[in-house]
Amino acid sequence: GNSVTQMEGPVTLSEEAFLTINCTYTATGYPSLFWYVQYPGEGLQLLLKATKADDKGSNKGFEATYRKETTSFHLEKGSVQVSDSAVYFCALSGRYAGGTSYGKLTFGQGTILTVHP
Amino acid sequence: NAGVTQTPKFRVLKTGQSMTLLCAQDMNHEYMYWYRQDPGMGLRLIHYSVGEGTTAKGEVPDGYNVSRLKKQNFLLGLESAAPSQTSVYFCASSSPAGDGTDTQYFGPGTRLTVL
């Protein structure tokens, strides 16, 4: 079955530091890959996504590249801000030749990011 | 647009009690989902629906039932609550892209404690 593994957290950084959160996956078919973010007390919201190999998703200074050869989708940001403090989830949605996954998502365990001034 | 709303926001139950969580969306989405979020485990899919009147089991369906009588509403029921069902429950909805690239929109969550 499908699975997603994220780096262990929590991650604590100073403002303007470089961020990497690792994500690797196992999937059959041709998955789409997502990063969702959960700010304190809120539901999840889409941060970025990539739908095929070598695609790069980007949003709000965050980037992630779909690497099929390493089955990875690592999240990066060059300079984090205090407002980036949140929980980050990597997820995948399977796609199959001749079928559909109905958009069902498989999530990683989440990585807590705290950014200090 | 309100997006996805969930009722209630918090609830405390005693073991064996029943309750229903309500999810409503105003985006005319076909697909709706119920997830539970537990520490260190990410979100896990309980049940989902691909249209009015249809439901299907997800990864962790035991102990839960669902109904989708109206397109905009998706109800999650606990018939006999157990402490293992203490969790944060999220509802989500999406419009099918047909190729697995759908973006899901999440509600704010319901924090349920079963004593």
Side-chain angles (χ1 to χ4, degrees):
Chain A
N2 297 337
S3 68
V4 177
T5 302
Q6 289 181 233
M7 66 183 288
E8 294 286 337
V11 175
T12 303
L13 296 173
S14 297
E15 205 165 26
E16 299 185 2
F18 185 86
L19 169 70
T20 299
I21 300 178
N22 290 339
C23 172
T24 57
Y25 68 89
T26 301
T28 55
Y30 312 93
S32 294
L33 300 174
F34 305 81
W35 278 101
Y36 279 83
V37 59
Q38 183 181 28
Y39 297 105
E42 299 182 9
L44 281 71
Q45 57 186 274
L46 178 69
L47 180 60
L48 53 84
K49 68 179 179 182
T51 60
K52 61 183 186 295
D54 300 326
D55 267 3
K56 178 185 285 187
S58 61
N59 186 26
K60 299 181 181 180
F62 291 89
E63 293 183 340
T65 300
Y66 188 149
R67 301 287 189 198
K68 188 175 181 181
E69 64 275 13
T70 54
T71 61
S72 65
F73 193 54
H74 304 322
L75 182 68
E76 297 182 336
K77 187 175 186 183
S79 176
V80 294
Q81 306 299 311
V82 172
S83 57
D84 294 326
S85 298
V87 183
Y88 291 82
F89 293 94
C90 185
L92 71 81
S93 176
R95 278 186 294 166
Y96 314 100
T100 179
S101 68
Y102 300 112
K104 292 180 290 180
L105 291 172
T106 299
F107 285 90
Q109 71 269 38
T111 301
I112 300 171
L113 170 66
T114 302
V115 180
H116 292 298
Chain B
N1 285 352
V4 179
T5 57
Q6 293 183 231
T7 308
K9 288 184 168 53
F10 303 94
R11 186 71 186 268
V12 178
L13 290 179
K14 294 182 179 178
T15 297
Q17 288 184 319
S18 63
M19 77 163 295
T20 300
L21 282 65
L22 170 63
C23 175
Q25 53 94 5
D26 62 3
M27 296 174 282
N28 201 35
H29 285 165
E30 286 293 328
Y31 293 175
M32 296 188 75
Y33 313 84
W34 275 107
Y35 294 91
R36 60 178 289 172
Q37 181 182 27
D38 301 295
M41 302 187 72
L43 278 76
R44 293 179 292 170
L45 182 65
I46 304 172
H47 286 280
Y48 65 101
S49 167
V50 299
E52 182 178 318
T54 74
T55 62
K57 294 180 180 179
E59 181 186 355
V60 289
D62 292 344
Y64 305 95
N65 57 76
V66 288
S67 63
R68 183 106 180 262
L69 299 179
K70 294 182 178 180
K71 184 177 183 179
Q72 65 268 33
N73 295 337
F74 195 29
L75 278 64
L76 177 71
L78 286 72
E79 291 186 347
S80 179
S84 61
Q85 294 177 304
T86 294
S87 188
V88 180
Y89 292 86
F90 286 100
C91 176
S93 70
S94 70
S95 184
D99 60 357
T101 64
D102 324 6
T103 295
Q104 290 189 17
Y105 295 84
F106 285 79
T110 295
R111 184 173 295 276
L112 174 66
T113 302
V114 183
L115 302 176

